[in-house]
Amino acid sequence: MAAPPPPANQFVYIDAAALHSVLPFPSLISHLGAGLPAFAAGIHCPHRVSFPLPTAPSASLLLMPSWSAHPSLPYLALKAVTSFPANSPRLPSVHAAVSLFDSASGVPLASLDGSALTLLRTAAVSALAASLLASPTRPPSTLALAGAGALAPYLAEAHLSALPSISRILIWNRTKAKSAALAARLRDAHPGVAVEEADSMDEAVSAADVVSCATGSQEPIVHGELLKPGAHLDLVGSFTPAMRECDDEALRRGRVFIDFEAAMQEAGELVGALQRGVLRREDVAGTLAELAAGSVAGRRCDDEITVFKSVGTAVVDLLAAQLAYETYIATTTKKT
């Protein structure tokens, strides 16, 4: 865990570039691995609320608060997310900002780029789960990525950090130009890793030891019958009951873990499987905090298939903001 920050008398703004500097994946993954077991149960995280906005077609504002009174986590965070689907192609439709306060006094401490923070913490959560569920005796070598959007390069970087045995990345995306651009970017960044575009998702799933999906698909793109014995499946994209990245067979064959309990109500793969009787609540092996704490068993044998479904909550926003703020203040103090 990060040390308590030195006294700070000045409100700070931590932009995207600074966040990438103070939240390298090795540090962020380690921080979440220690912080979730220690603090997750004590972090208050009300359901996010959404407000329709009359300022633009289909526009909305989402608010995600979280707070802790623990002496080692004395913060209150509020993530505000705006969704403006009618924005031009040159302007992202989703923007976010995180405000961080002292939870004992209410004093504002920092504003952080919420879009960058979300990308970093989402990828770190997936990589942490993969590091806890991948086989230690048969280290994974091939990572398959489904989707080539904003999150995809972060997922690649996080998994390469957490699983240094990965030497090959397969990329599948419905738009070939996007998968080609991502492949070129990763080849430049990691010349020692073989980066390829997959002709089909089935081809990528069949070859991969770790499959990470970050799409908005409403129809399964991962067919469970194709998962290799010992594979790990990471599902990031779905966050509503109408969305679904894998079929029921993947859940039948796999041992299922979730990031937080909210996944049981929000993730289409799980909601549908529960309704169809494919999955029972007691079939879910545990949460990420329980995995990190060692209170539930992870992988039980090399050939076991594991599935991790994340939907994200303000809990990880708070922990990521904590590390970013404390590291930023400590770094700034050293410079002065």
Side-chain angles (χ1 to χ4, degrees):
M1 299 300 296
N9 300 317
Q10 184 177 355
F11 180 85
V12 298
Y13 174 61
I14 308 177
D15 63 14
L19 280 174
H20 285 83
S21 175
V22 298
L23 294 180
F25 279 120
S27 297
L28 181 55
I29 293 168
S30 175
H31 182 71
L32 294 179
L36 284 169
F39 301 124
I43 294 175
H44 299 273
C45 184
H47 289 296
R48 58 186 169 218
V49 293
S50 178
F51 302 95
L53 299 176
T55 56
S58 303
S60 60
L61 169 68
L62 291 84
L63 300 178
M64 299 170 62
S66 58
W67 62 87
S68 164
H70 194 285
S72 295
L73 189 65
Y75 301 110
L76 182 158
L78 175 65
K79 182 160 77 172
V81 182
T82 58
S83 175
F84 281 65
N87 280 356
S88 71
R90 294 188 301 275
L91 184 65
S93 60
V94 177
H95 296 268
V98 174
S99 297
L100 191 68
F101 303 81
D102 184 307
S103 61
S105 65
V107 172
L109 302 172
S111 178
L112 305 91
D113 185 303
S115 299
L117 186 80
T118 301
L119 291 168
L120 288 161
R121 62 81 156 158
T122 301
V125 163
S126 287
L128 173 61
S131 71
L132 295 170
L133 292 171
S135 171
T137 58
R138 199 164 66 194
S141 62
T142 300
L143 167 68
L145 291 176
L151 183 58
Y154 290 81
L155 286 169
E157 295 291 347
H159 280 86
L160 287 170
S161 173
L163 301 171
S165 58
I166 290 175
S167 59
R168 182 188 184 204
I169 298 177
L170 302 174
I171 303 170
W172 176 84
N173 190 70
R174 288 192 174 94
T175 305
K176 292 293 185 181
K178 288 186 176 181
S179 58
L182 176 59
R185 174 177 174 177
L186 293 177
R187 287 190 197 106
D188 287 344
H190 301 279
V193 177
V195 183
E196 307 165 32
E197 296 174 66
D199 292 329
S200 70
M201 190 59 194
D202 284 353
E203 171 193 323
V205 170
S206 299
D209 304 302
V210 177
V211 180
S212 185
C213 302
T215 74
S217 182
Q218 295 190 1
E219 298 294 332
I221 56 173
V222 173
H223 299 110
E225 64 181 4
L226 300 177
L227 288 165
K228 292 168 56 175
H232 173 66
L233 174 60
D234 171 48
L235 303 168
V236 185
S238 72
F239 55 90
T240 73
M243 303 170 78
R244 188 181 179 199
E245 292 188 301
C246 76
D247 63 8
D248 288 342
E249 185 62 17
L251 302 181
R252 285 193 190 97
R253 294 187 66 200
R255 190 151 173 261
V256 179
F257 298 82
I258 57 178
D259 60 344
F260 298 98
E261 193 63 33
M264 302 304 301
Q265 289 80 46
E266 296 178 6
E269 300 91 349
L270 303 182
V271 172
L274 288 168
Q275 292 172 344
R276 291 185 291 272
V278 173
L279 188 73
R280 301 169 301 168
R281 178 60 187 85
E282 55 266 33
D283 293 329
V284 176
T287 66
L288 184 56
E290 292 170 332
L291 257 180
S295 57
V296 298
R299 173 176 296 274
R300 298 172 298 190
C301 66
D302 282 342
D303 286 342
E304 185 172 52
I305 292 170
T306 54
V307 178
F308 177 68
K309 175 58 204 167
S310 64
V311 292
T313 76
V315 171
V316 283
D317 289 327
L318 182 62
L319 288 170
Q322 173 205 10
L323 180 62
Y325 173 69
E326 293 180 1
T327 305
Y328 184 89
I329 291 295
T331 303
T332 304
T333 302
K334 285 181 182 178
K335 288 180 179 179
T336 59

